[in-house]
Amino acid sequence: MVGKHPLRIRIVTPLCDVSEEQRRATLAEVVQFTDLGIEFDIVALAAGPASIENPIDDALAAPQVVVEALKAEQAGIDAVIIDCMGDPGLMPAREAVSIPVVGPGEASLHFAAMMGHRVGCVSVLESVRPMLFAHARAYGLAEKLVSVRTIDVPVLEIEHNLAKLSELLYLESHRMIVQDRVDTIVLGCTGFLGVADELEQRLRTEANYRVPVISPLPAAALLAASMVWGGLRHSRRAYPQADRTRLPLVISQ
Amino acid sequence: MVGKHPLRIRIVTPLCDVSEEQRRATLAEVVQFTDLGIEFDIVALAAGPASIENPIDDALAAPQVVVEALKAEQAGIDAVIIDCMGDPGLMPAREAVSIPVVGPGEASLHFAAMMGHRVGCVSVLESVRPMLFAHARAYGLAEKLVSVRTIDVPVLEIEHNLAKLSELLYLESHRMIVQDRVDTIVLGCTGFLGVADELEQRLRTEANYRVPVISPLPAAALLAASMVWGGLRHSRRAYPQADRTRLPLVISQ
Amino acid sequence: MVGKHPLRIRIVTPLCDVSEEQRRATLAEVVQFTDLGIEFDIVALAAGPASIENPIDDALAAPQVVVEALKAEQAGIDAVIIDCMGDPGLMPAREAVSIPVVGPGEASLHFAAMMGHRVGCVSVLESVRPMLFAHARAYGLAEKLVSVRTIDVPVLEIEHNLAKLSELLYLESHRMIVQDRVDTIVLGCTGFLGVADELEQRLRTEANYRVPVISPLPAAALLAASMVWGGLRHSRRAYPQADRTRLPLVISQ
Amino acid sequence: MVGKHPLRIRIVTPLCDVSEEQRRATLAEVVQFTDLGIEFDIVALAAGPASIENPIDDALAAPQVVVEALKAEQAGIDAVIIDCMGDPGLMPAREAVSIPVVGPGEASLHFAAMMGHRVGCVSVLESVRPMLFAHARAYGLAEKLVSVRTIDVPVLEIEHNLAKLSELLYLESHRMIVQDRVDTIVLGCTGFLGVADELEQRLRTEANYRVPVISPLPAAALLAASMVWGGLRHSRRAYPQADRTRLPLVISQ
Amino acid sequence: MVGKHPLRIRIVTPLCDVSEEQRRATLAEVVQFTDLGIEFDIVALAAGPASIENPIDDALAAPQVVVEALKAEQAGIDAVIIDCMGDPGLMPAREAVSIPVVGPGEASLHFAAMMGHRVGCVSVLESVRPMLFAHARAYGLAEKLVSVRTIDVPVLEIEHNLAKLSELLYLESHRMIVQDRVDTIVLGCTGFLGVADELEQRLRTEANYRVPVISPLPAAALLAASMVWGGLRHSRRAYPQADRTRLPLVISQ
Amino acid sequence: MVGKHPLRIRIVTPLCDVSEEQRRATLAEVVQFTDLGIEFDIVALAAGPASIENPIDDALAAPQVVVEALKAEQAGIDAVIIDCMGDPGLMPAREAVSIPVVGPGEASLHFAAMMGHRVGCVSVLESVRPMLFAHARAYGLAEKLVSVRTIDVPVLEIEHNLAKLSELLYLESHRMIVQDRVDTIVLGCTGFLGVADELEQRLRTEANYRVPVISPLPAAALLAASMVWGGLRHSRRAYPQADRTRLPLVISQ
C-alpha cells in the first residue's frame, strides 16, 4: 500500500462556513506530515451547522458528512477525516464508503489510552460533556476517560480569544492532573489549533508535569495514513456496506 | 398534570413515505390507551429514508425528527414518540424541545429490564445488531441486553410476509430462550405490528415458556404518558436547551 | 387491559405501625392518578419493623411483604407497590404472585435513568448508602447512580422536622449537582412526602438548575399502572412461580 | 487471637427441620479442621423453610438467621457460618453482631476467584441461577463467575439420590469445562456433602482435567477461622452496628 | 490435609538484600500463627532489586521468585508467600510449581472485599498506584478498590522513619475514610510491619471510625495455610503446568 | 518530528535464539514501510526463553527487554517494538527509557478496536488465552476482545508447518466469525508471519466474510512510527522515569 504517491487525505469540516484563515490554521496542524508523502485538502459542508456544540449540530452535520465521504471516494481520495471532536457522521460514513473514515474523537482517545492510564479531555462547553463520555463508552474506552473539563468558551469565539484560550486550557489541564489524577490530556475540540505543544511545554516547565497533550487532528491524520499504509479497512461485518440503490437518496439531498 | 384532557401524543414515523395501511396498523398498536384519555396522531417526515436499517438511514432521519419535535411542541402536543426502534434523533430532539420525547428503543429496554434479568431482542436484519447493542450501552443497560437475533427480512418486506414473520419471530425467540437463556423478549422493530400477544401466547402454549414479549411502541406510549401525568421532564443539565438563535437553521432546512 | 375500571393498586407499607396522618400523606402523593381510573389503598404489616434503615429492618419486613402480596392477589388487586425505597421483599413477592409487584427503588431509578445521565439520590441515613448502591447494581443501573447523599435524619423523625427536611434536601441536592455533576435527582425515601415539586422549583428559581426531582412512590404507581394497562407481567423465567405446596408456610407465618 | 482454645464456630442451618443424619454429614464436611483447635456445632431455625431454592425461602430464613447470630454471640461463639449457598441473612446478621458471620456463597466464590480465572458453579435447580449471579455481582465478583449450571434435582431429594447426584455433578462439571471454558468449580449447594473430592478426582482421572472443586462449607469454615485468628472483623462503616433499642424486636420474633 | 505437622510456609522476599532485623520483623508479623502448627522461614533472592517500587523492580524480581518457588517445592515446603504487595512472579510461579503460591496483594484485596464495600489502600510512593489498580483489575476486584493513597516515603527509608510512618499512615487512612468513603483499609506495602493494630485502634479511638486495617503478610499466610488445610490447589486449566524440559532454564539462570 | 531521516525502529525479539531465516521473515513483515523513511533492525536477547507461551517465559524475557530498550535509547534509536504478542517487558521498559516502546499486543488490539466492534484473536496454544484476556483488561479494551481461539501448535513448530498453519488459522477464524460473531481478527502471535493477507482474502473469497485481519508486527510498527512523527511520548505520570541510580542493576545483569 505504501509507495502509492502521494497519499491523499481529505479533511471534512462539518460546518457550513469555514473562513480561509481557519482552513490555513487547520492545514498547519498537519503540515508536518506532508514530508511523508501525504497531501491534505479541506472541504466544508454545502449545508450544515455553524459550529458543533450539541447533538442538534451533530444531527445536522451527519448526513452531509456522508455525502462528502461519498464524493471523496469517487474522487479517488485515500482516506477521510471528520474535522470535529464529536465525530459527526462517523458510523454512517463508514457504511457508505470503502476508504477509511477516521474521527478525531475516536483516534485521539485511542492514542491517549496507549500513552497513559487516566485520560482527561479539556473541551469547550459544558454541553459537550455527555457526548464525549458517551463516545468513550461507544468506543469501548469508558474506563480510560476519567475526566472531561471545559473552558466555557463557545467554539465560534475561540479564534478571537487565543491568548485567553491558552491560559484557560492550562488552568483546566492543571486541575485535571492535580484533582482528577489525569496522566494524559486530549484537546477536546479540533478548533484548538496550534496550542498542543505550548500547553505540553508549559505543564512541564511551570508545573513539572510531563504529560502528553494530544491534538485530535494530527492523531486522526496519523491513524488514517496508517490504515492506508497498512492496508487496513473497517470491518464490513461491523459496518455493512450500504445498499447501492439507497445511496442516491443521500447524494441528492 | 393528570386531568388535562385529552393528553395528546404525536407519533413521528421517521420515514418519508408511510402508507395509510401502515398508519392504521401503527395506531392500532396503541388504540387501547385512548380509554385513558390519550389522543394519538401520526406524522411522517417531509424528507427522509424509506426505512431505517443502518446508521445512514438514522443520520438522514435525525434532523427531520428534530423538526417534527419542534412542530409538535409549537402545536401544543404533550409528548412525542419516535416510531423506530433505532430512536433516530432522540438526543437532539430532547435538546430542542421541552416536552417529553420518547424512543421505543430506550423505553422497551427499560421495561424489559424491569420484567426480567436477561433480555433478548429479535429484530430485522443483521445490520441493526451493532446499533442495538450500542444503544443498550448508551442507555446504561448493557448488562441486561444479552442477545440480539434477527429474522433477516428487510423492513419493507415485512408487511408482505406477515405469516412468515410470525413464524420467524417464534423460531428466533425460542432459540434466544433455549440457547441464550433469555427470560424477556423485546420486539426489535416498530414495524412488527400486532404480533406481540400472539408470540407471547405461542411461546407459552407450545413451549411452556412464560416470558413477556414487549412491543416497543406501546412501551413508548405508556412511558410518554407517564412522564406527562407525573410532571416529569428530561433534565436540562443532561439535555441542555438548544440556543434559540440556532434553531431556525433546523426549521428552515 | 385498559378499560377494566377501576384499576386497583395496593400500597404495602412494610412497617408494623403507620399513623392515619401518614396514610393520608402517602395517598396524597398519588391522588392525582385517581383521575386515570386508579384506586389506591394502603395496608401496613401485621408484624414488622418500625422503619426501614438497614438490612435487618429489610429482612424483618420481607416475609410479611410476601404475605401481603399473596393477600392482595387473592383479593383481586391488580398490582402491588412496596412503600419503601429499599424494595424489601420485592424479589420473593414476584415469585409468589402473578400480578405486578413494583418497588419504588427500582421504578424511580429507571425513570431517572431515562431523564438524565448522572443520577443522584438524597436519602435519610448513611446506613442506607451501601443498600442503594447494591440495588442499583442488582437492577443493572450501577453506571447511572453516581451519588448517594444523606440528610442524616432518622426516618421516624422526618415528620416532626418538615421545615428542616425541606432545607436539608435542598442543600444536599445542590451539593450533588455542583460537586458530583448530578443531572437528575431521586428522593431516596418514600417518607419524603409532598416535597418533590417544591425542591424542583427551588433548585430552578434559586440556583437556576433545571433538574427533575423524582418522587419514588408516584414513579412506582405510574409503572405499576403501565404494566397493567400494557398487559405486562414479570417473566416467569426470571421469577419462577413459587411451588404452591410451599406457600402456606408463608401465609401461616 | 490465636491461642484462644478452642475456637468455636457455629453452623446455622437456615431450615426448620434438619435430620440427625444431615447434621452428621454436615459436621463431617468440616471435621478435618478440628485438629486446628476448632469446635463446630450446628443449629437449625426455630421456624423457617424446609429448603432454600428461591427468594421466598431466602426471605423466610433471613430474620431467623439474625436471631441465631445474636444467640451465638451471646453464647460466646467466635464466628457464625450460614449453612446455605444463598447466604440468607448474611448482610443483616453482620449488622446485628460483632463476631464474624460468613456465608459459603461469598467464601467459596472468593476462594475460587483466587484458584482460577473462570469460575463455574454447579447447583440444584434452575431457579437458583439468577440468585447466584446476583450474589456474584453484589460481592464484586461478577467478572469471575462465568457459568452456573444445574442438575435439576430439588434439594430435598438429594440425599435419596446420592449415586445419581454424583453422576449429574460430573456431567455438568464436564460440560462447564468444555463448553464454558470454566477452570475452577464451586459446588453450588451446601447439601452436596462429601462429594467434592470424588468429583475432583474423577475429572482428573477420567477426563484429564485438573481443576479444583470447592466445597462451600469448608471454604466458609476456613475463612471464618482465618478471620478470628487474624483478628479481622467486618467493617462497621460497611455494616453499621444495629441500634440496640431495635434489636429486641428481632429476638422476640 | 490437616494433621500434617508442622505445616511449612516459605516467605520469599523478592529482594537481593534483607537485613537480619527486617527478617525478624517480618517473621514477627506472622508469629501468632505458629500456634496453629505452621512453621515459617524466609529467603531472599540470590539476585534482584533492593526494593520494589515500579515495574522494573517487578521484572527483575519475577524470574528469581520462580526459582525460589521451585526450590521450595523441591525442599518439601507446603506453600510459598511472595513478600511484596506487588506480587512479583505470582503468575509464573504458579505455573512452575504444584504447591500454593500466594501473593499478599491478591490475598489482602480478597479479604478486604469480604470485610467491606469500599476498599482503600495506603502505600509508599505515587509510582505504585497504577500497579495496584492494574492488579485489582487483573484479580477481578476493580469494583472494590476505590482509592489508593501514598505516604510518599521510599521503601528503603521506612525503617528509619517508624514514628513518622505511623503518623502518615494515620493521616492518609483518615483522608481515605472521609474523602473517598473508604470502609476498609489495606496496608499497601509488606514493609509496613507491626503497624496495623495500632492504626486500627487509633482510627477507632481518635476518630471513632471502626474500620478493619488489613496487613498483607498475615492475610497471605492465612490464605496459604487455608489452601493447604483445605486441600485446595490453583487450577491447572488457569495456570498450566510448565513444560518440565523448559524449567532447567529457569533454575540455571 | 517528521523530516528526521531516516526514522530508526528497533525490533527486540524477546528470545535467546533467532534464526537468520526468522529474522528475514520478520523484517519482511514490515519492509513495506521502509519507503516511508523507516529503518528497521532486529536484536535478540543475550539470555532468555526459546519461545513465549506462558507467564514463565514472559518473566524470563522481561528484564532483558528492559536492557535492550536502554541499549537502543543509548544508540539513538527512535522507537522500540517488542516482537511478541505477549508484550513482555512493555511496562518496565517504558519507565526505563524516554523513546516510545510499543507492544504488538497492545497496538493490534487498539487497531482492531477501531476497525470493528467484536474482536477475535487466533493464537498458538491454549496456555496463552488467560494472558491475552488479562492484557485486554489491562489495556482497557476488555469489552472489545470477545474471543480467543487457538490452533494448538507450539510456537517452535510453526515454521515447519506453514501449510498446516494457514489451514488452521482459516478454520479458527471462520469459527470465530460464525460462532462468536467476531467482526475483526487479530493474529495472536508475531510468529504468524506473512499470512495475514492470504487469510483475509480467503475469508473473503471462500466464505464471503469481509473482515480485516490484523498482523501485530506491522500494527506495532505503524504505531511506533506515528508516535515519533507526532511527537508523542508515554506519560511520565503513568510511567514514572526510573531512578537513574537503580538502572545499572539492570544493565549489569
Side-chain angles (χ1 to χ4, degrees), chain D residues 1-3 32-33 35-36 94 98 106-107 110-111 113-117 137-141 143-144 177 182-184 200 209-214 222-223 226-227 229-239 241, chain E residues 1-3 32-33 35-36 94 98 106-107 110-111 113-117 137-141 143-144 177 182-184 200 209-214 222-223 226-227 229-239 241:
Chain D
M1 299 291 166
V2 182
Q32 56 184 323
F33 304 134
D35 283 356
L36 294 167
R94 283 180 180 167
S98 291
E106 190 182 28
H110 273 284
F111 267 105
M114 289 185 273
M115 303 296 106
H117 308 304
R137 215 157 28 227
Y139 300 152
L141 291 168
E143 239 179 87
K144 289 277 190 167
I177 295 168
V182 152
D183 58 37
T184 304
E200 190 171 308
Y209 291 140
R210 292 161 70 189
V211 300
V213 175
I214 296 173
L222 286 167
L223 182 62
S226 290
M227 286 186 65
W229 291 325
L232 294 169
R233 291 293 172 274
H234 293 101
S235 168
R236 275 287 175 230
R237 301 281 293 175
Y239 302 97
Q241 184 147 35
Chain E
M1 299 292 166
V2 181
Q32 55 185 323
F33 305 135
D35 283 357
L36 295 167
R94 283 180 180 167
S98 292
E106 189 182 29
H110 273 284
F111 267 106
M114 290 185 271
M115 303 296 105
H117 308 305
R137 216 157 29 227
Y139 301 151
L141 292 168
E143 240 179 88
K144 289 276 190 167
I177 295 169
V182 152
D183 58 38
T184 304
E200 190 171 308
Y209 291 141
R210 292 161 71 190
V211 301
V213 175
I214 297 173
L222 286 167
L223 182 62
S226 290
M227 286 186 65
W229 290 325
L232 294 169
R233 289 294 173 272
H234 293 102
S235 169
R236 275 289 176 228
R237 302 281 293 176
Y239 303 97
Q241 184 148 35

Side-chain angles (χ1 to χ4, degrees), chain F:
Chain F
M1 300 292 165
V2 182
K4 175 168 181 311
H5 279 293
L7 186 156
R8 295 168 64 198
I9 292 180
R10 177 160 294 170
I11 299 169
V12 175
T13 302
L15 307 173
C16 61
D17 186 32
V18 180
S19 69
E20 196 49 43
E21 191 182 3
Q22 209 177 329
R23 267 173 214 268
R24 269 197 302 272
T26 299
L27 282 175
E29 197 77 8
V30 293
V31 69
Q32 55 184 324
F33 305 135
T34 53
D35 283 356
L36 295 167
I38 310 176
E39 277 182 9
F40 295 93
D41 67 6
I42 303 188
V43 300
L45 304 186
S51 69
I52 297 207
E53 290 168 3
N54 56 47
I56 295 179
D57 299 328
D58 186 283
L60 290 173
Q64 299 300 324
V65 168
V66 175
V67 171
E68 292 301 331
L70 283 163
K71 283 187 193 164
E73 186 177 47
Q74 285 159 5
I77 297 291
D78 294 296
V80 165
I81 295 173
I82 300 164
D83 178 23
C84 174
M85 194 64 186
D87 296 349
L90 181 65
M91 302 301 169
R94 283 181 180 166
E95 302 206 346
V97 300
S98 292
I99 56 174
V101 181
V102 174
E106 189 182 28
S108 58
L109 266 182
H110 273 284
F111 267 106
M114 290 184 271
M115 303 296 105
H117 308 304
R118 296 174 63 84
V119 178
C121 184
V122 54
S123 192
V124 277
L125 295 175
E126 181 75 14
S127 58
V128 304
R129 295 187 79 251
M131 187 174 68
L132 289 172
F133 278 117
H135 282 190
R137 216 158 27 228
Y139 301 151
L141 291 168
E143 240 178 88
K144 289 275 189 168
L145 183 66
V146 297
S147 174
V148 172
R149 290 188 179 237
T150 54
I151 57 171
D152 292 314
V153 174
V155 175
L156 297 179
E157 293 174 23
I158 289 177
E159 48 182 322
H160 310 303
N161 287 279
L162 287 183
K164 194 177 149 203
L165 169 68
S166 192
E167 184 62 23
L168 290 171
L169 289 175
Y170 177 76
L171 289 177
E172 291 303 329
S173 297
H174 195 279
R175 270 179 206 137
M176 289 203 297
I177 295 169
V178 175
Q179 292 175 26
D180 309 333
R181 292 187 185 276
V182 153
D183 58 38
T184 304
I185 288 168
V186 169
L187 294 183
C189 177
T190 53
F192 293 164
L193 294 165
V195 295
D197 285 355
E198 185 202 321
L199 177 56
E200 190 171 310
Q201 282 166 36
R202 199 170 157 197
L203 286 167
R204 184 170 183 165
T205 51
E206 291 187 27
N208 201 25
Y209 291 141
R210 292 160 72 190
V211 301
V213 174
I214 295 173
S215 182
L217 205 56
L222 286 166
L223 181 62
S226 290
M227 286 185 65
V228 178
W229 291 325
L232 294 168
R233 290 294 172 272
H234 293 102
S235 169
R236 275 290 176 226
R237 302 280 294 174
Y239 303 96
Q241 184 148 34
D243 179 354
R244 291 280 153 194
T245 65
R246 297 166 68 113
L247 285 179
L249 176 70
V250 180
I251 289 292
S252 66
Q253 207 201 32

Side-chain angles (χ1 to χ4, degrees), chain A residues 129-240:
Chain A
R129 294 186 81 252
M131 187 174 67
L132 289 172
F133 278 116
H135 281 189
R137 216 158 26 228
Y139 301 151
L141 291 169
E143 238 178 89
K144 288 275 189 169
L145 183 66
V146 296
S147 173
V148 172
R149 291 189 178 235
T150 55
I151 57 170
D152 291 314
V153 174
V155 175
L156 296 180
E157 293 173 23
I158 290 176
E159 49 182 321
H160 310 301
N161 287 278
L162 286 184
K164 193 176 149 204
L165 169 68
S166 192
E167 184 62 22
L168 290 170
L169 289 176
Y170 177 75
L171 289 177
E172 289 305 329
S173 297
H174 195 279
R175 269 180 206 136
M176 289 203 297
I177 295 169
V178 176
Q179 293 175 25
D180 308 334
R181 292 185 185 277
V182 152
D183 58 37
T184 304
I185 288 169
V186 169
L187 294 183
C189 177
T190 53
F192 292 164
L193 294 165
V195 295
D197 284 355
E198 184 202 323
L199 176 57
E200 192 172 306
Q201 282 166 35
R202 199 170 158 196
L203 285 168
R204 185 170 182 164
T205 51
E206 292 188 26
N208 200 25
Y209 291 141
R210 291 160 71 191
V211 300
V213 175
I214 296 173
S215 181
L217 205 56
L222 286 167
L223 182 62
S226 290
M227 286 186 65
V228 178
W229 290 326
L232 294 169
R233 291 292 172 273
H234 293 102
S235 169
R236 275 288 176 229
R237 302 281 294 175
Y239 302 96

